[in-house]
Amino acid sequence: MKNVILITIDCLRADHLSCYGYHRETTPFIDSLANEGIIFRRAYANGPFTVAAFPAILTSTYPLESGRYITLENRIFVSEILREKGIKTAAIHSNPYLSEVYGYNRGFDYFEDFFHLQITRKSHSKIRSAISATLNLCKPVRKAISLLRKYLNLPKPPYAPAETITKFAIKWLKENLSNAFFLWLHYMDLHEPYLILNTGIERRYSKKMTRLKQLRILKPRREYVNDIINVYDDKLRYIDLNIQRLYNLLKQEGIIDETIIIITADHGQEFYDHGHFSHIAKFYEENIHIPLIIYGLETGISDKLVSQLDIAPTILWLYKISPAKNYKGKNLLSSHERDFVISEASHDEQGIYIANHRIRKPIYTSFSCITKQWKYILTQEQEEMYDLSKDPKEKRNVVKEYPEIASKLKEIVEEHIKEEERIRLKNKVKRLKLKQNLI
């Protein structure tokens, strides 16, 4: 083995892949990789949204180890370790929360986050706002013009499409074929807004999408959920096609046999399964049960409990490199089995992560503890527990019916919280010592 490609897909819930039992053929190519690789059926995100999940994926540490504001301080990227060992490293994505601004370029020889596109779009938006403000139009006229403009000119997605990500990846690969490499790609197409018209994406499930429907689902409501899911599934097929393009390049260049491909997600996406849309600080299956597939080694199906913490140590093991001391995960390919997975997040009262630390809002923390049978959820408001073996849709809270089990799982969460407090204190002492030495 010489190379590893990590493919992360934003908002990809496990139950929408054909190989995880979905009734639609959304991922024919990924299915073929799963059939020839290892599929982990009980993989969980350690956080319910991007900011909470990626510290686990790329640094094998829990999101709240840095405190209620999730930062990358005192974390070691898998890319940093690999680059020190002479492995070529590259990352290509267009998620602003994973941009160079937040420090996600650490350890990468090549890092493309398309941040210039995001800045340009914001600038254009400000210009349009300024022009509109100068027009002395009555409110009804302005509203009519706005609706007409939207109807005639649908907005573009606020991220680089899969085709662009793949194009940049293929270009970089062609320039680095002679080197051992680690390539991380992140596809954003499953993230809202759910635009499909005028994108060039084949519409198998959203054939009946009209311009009016397209405008409606840009502001999701429960009655539009079927249209949203149709677009979501078509976009998943589009991502699947782009992964196949990448695979074909590896095969064409004769390096597929020395390349391992890992496919996973940062988190899932709720379609009103539990009363909400999108991905806030909620820990139900649709939001934290993620796909995890490894292609290029043996074949098989694993039912052991695993999490995103285990991805970085596995990548290092593939290169025969020891993990960092503060890594919390284990090699996915070892015989090690977890008894539970912790998922956690910090958020405001609506469950949304507070990205701007200057905003003065109360910050809450929520946790879940998942075993093979049970899921326990602890929030500021309540405790929940579900028997996943009998109630996989998590519709019946049984926390009061099984108080002893709930108590044991709560103890695990409380001990985990104390351990994170110890880590923060240890890191604070290190900072103070370093500051004194500098003085």
Side-chain angles (χ1 to χ4, degrees):
M1 195 286 303
K2 185 181 171 185
N3 315 304
V4 175
I5 298 177
L6 171 63
I7 298 173
T8 54
I9 302 171
D10 215 293
C11 300
L12 177 56
R13 44 192 285 174
D15 63 359
H16 272 250
L17 282 81
S18 323
C19 54
Y20 278 81
Y22 193 44
H23 65 279
R24 286 175 168 174
E25 193 184 25
T26 51
T27 51
F29 184 71
I30 293 175
D31 295 348
S32 70
L33 297 183
N35 289 336
E36 296 179 30
I38 307 168
I39 181 168
F40 294 87
R41 297 201 294 197
R42 297 188 180 188
Y44 283 91
N46 295 106
F49 40 70
T50 298
V51 178
F54 266 98
I57 295 173
L58 295 178
T59 75
S60 192
T61 53
Y62 287 101
L64 298 185
E65 285 185 22
S66 59
R68 293 190 173 194
Y69 289 119
I70 300 169
T71 71
L72 300 179
E73 192 177 3
N74 299 303
R75 305 183 198 262
I76 302 169
F77 274 65
V78 65
S79 49
E80 292 178 290
I81 297 171
L82 292 172
R83 187 164 68 174
E84 283 181 7
K85 298 294 182 178
I87 309 294
K88 279 282 184 181
T89 55
I92 304 167
H93 71 83
S94 68
N95 187 317
Y97 285 119
L98 306 176
S99 67
E100 185 175 346
V101 173
Y102 289 98
Y104 273 90
N105 60 322
R106 279 165 48 185
F108 288 104
D109 298 304
Y110 175 80
F111 189 84
E112 177 57 76
D113 59 8
F114 298 92
F115 198 64
H116 59 283
L117 291 180
Q118 295 156 36
I119 292 170
T120 302
R121 283 170 183 151
K122 286 180 181 177
S123 301
H124 287 173
S125 178
K126 287 180 180 178
I127 292 167
R128 286 194 299 270
S129 298
I131 291 171
S132 297
T134 61
L135 296 175
N136 187 20
L137 298 171
C138 64
K139 190 174 180 180
V141 174
R142 285 201 307 270
K143 188 175 181 181
I145 289 174
S146 175
L147 286 170
L148 182 61
R149 185 185 293 123
K150 284 181 180 178
Y151 187 81
L152 295 174
N153 302 296
L154 291 170
K156 292 182 178 180
Y159 47 75
E163 188 175 350
T164 300
I165 300 295
T166 307
K167 179 183 175 182
F168 273 69
I170 288 173
K171 182 178 183 296
W172 184 86
L173 283 167
K174 285 182 176 180
E175 294 169 355
N176 292 274
L177 290 172
S178 60
N179 305 301
F181 65 78
F182 167 64
L183 172 62
W184 164 43
L185 304 179
H186 185 67
Y187 290 113
M188 283 290 292
D189 305 81
L190 296 185
H191 199 290
E192 66 268 22
Y194 288 110
L195 291 156
I196 190 84
L197 296 184
N198 303 333
T199 61
I201 297 173
E202 180 190 357
R203 290 189 285 138
R204 173 177 289 203
Y205 305 114
S206 58
K207 284 180 180 178
K208 295 182 180 179
M209 179 64 61
T210 63
R211 296 182 79 84
L212 183 58
K213 281 185 178 180
Q214 178 69 98
L215 285 171
R216 281 176 175 172
I217 68 171
L218 294 182
K219 290 186 177 179
R221 290 166 61 176
R222 189 186 290 271
E223 55 262 43
Y224 306 148
V225 71
N226 290 333
D227 289 323
I228 292 169
I229 290 172
N230 288 338
V231 173
Y232 180 94
D233 288 348
D234 276 336
K235 287 195 159 196
L236 181 49
R237 283 183 64 87
Y238 167 64
I239 293 171
D240 184 77
L241 182 64
N242 274 276
I243 293 174
Q244 185 174 13
R245 285 179 58 211
L246 191 73
Y247 177 92
N248 290 343
L249 181 276
L250 298 170
K251 193 171 183 179
Q252 177 188 316
E253 297 294 342
I255 61 169
I256 190 62
D257 291 336
E258 50 194 35
T259 303
I260 306 298
I261 300 173
I262 302 172
I263 299 173
T264 190
D266 53 352
H267 52 78
Q269 185 80 326
E270 183 181 351
F271 297 127
Y272 299 101
D273 307 66
H274 287 87
H276 291 84
F277 171 79
S278 190
H279 45 279
I280 57 175
K282 295 171 73 177
F283 300 91
Y284 303 115
E285 292 289 281
E286 61 269 14
N287 216 17
I288 63 169
H289 181 211
I290 55 170
L292 180 56
I293 297 161
I294 301 180
Y295 170 85
L297 295 169
E298 64 227 55
T299 61
I301 297 172
S302 174
D303 279 319
K304 70 178 183 177
L305 205 58
V306 298
S307 80
Q308 292 168 332
L309 292 171
D310 303 317
I311 294 172
T314 304
I315 292 169
L316 292 174
W317 179 84
L318 290 168
Y319 288 102
K320 298 181 180 178
I321 299 172
S322 299
K325 288 181 180 179
N326 69 338
Y327 275 22
K328 304 298 185 299
K330 301 293 183 182
N331 174 13
L332 288 162
L333 305 169
S334 71
S335 58
H336 177 268
E337 288 207 33
R338 292 181 173 277
D339 294 322
F340 58 86
V341 168
I342 297 286
S343 186
E344 61 186 21
S346 60
H347 51 88
D348 65 12
E349 59 186 351
Q350 276 82 41
I352 300 167
Y353 178 68
I354 303 172
N356 187 345
H357 297 182
R358 294 178 182 176
I359 295 175
R360 298 298 178 187
K361 271 187 176 184
I363 302 174
Y364 305 94
T365 54
S366 298
F367 301 85
S368 70
C369 180
I370 308 116
T371 69
K372 282 191 173 182
Q373 181 176 357
W374 304 95
K375 182 186 291 180
Y376 171 81
I377 300 172
L378 179 65
T379 68
Q380 296 290 125
E381 300 173 348
Q382 63 178 350
E383 294 177 82
E384 298 172 62
M385 192 172 75
Y386 300 92
D387 184 345
L388 298 177
S389 64
K390 296 177 181 177
D391 180 24
K393 299 291 185 183
E394 299 161 299
K395 299 299 183 183
R396 187 163 171 262
N397 183 1
V398 295
V399 71
K400 291 181 180 178
E401 294 177 39
Y402 300 93
E404 290 184 8
I405 295 171
S407 178
K408 286 179 182 178
L409 295 178
K410 185 176 184 179
E411 282 178 21
I412 292 172
V413 171
E414 289 175 340
E415 181 53 41
H416 170 78
I417 292 169
K418 289 176 184 176
E419 176 59 23
E420 288 191 323
E421 288 172 353
R422 286 192 286 267
I423 290 169
R424 288 194 290 272
L425 180 60
K426 184 179 176 182
N427 289 333
K428 186 177 180 180
V429 171
K430 276 185 182 178
R431 285 196 302 272
L432 289 171
K433 284 183 179 179
L434 182 63
K435 191 174 181 181
Q436 287 173 351
N437 290 338
L438 290 172
I439 294 170

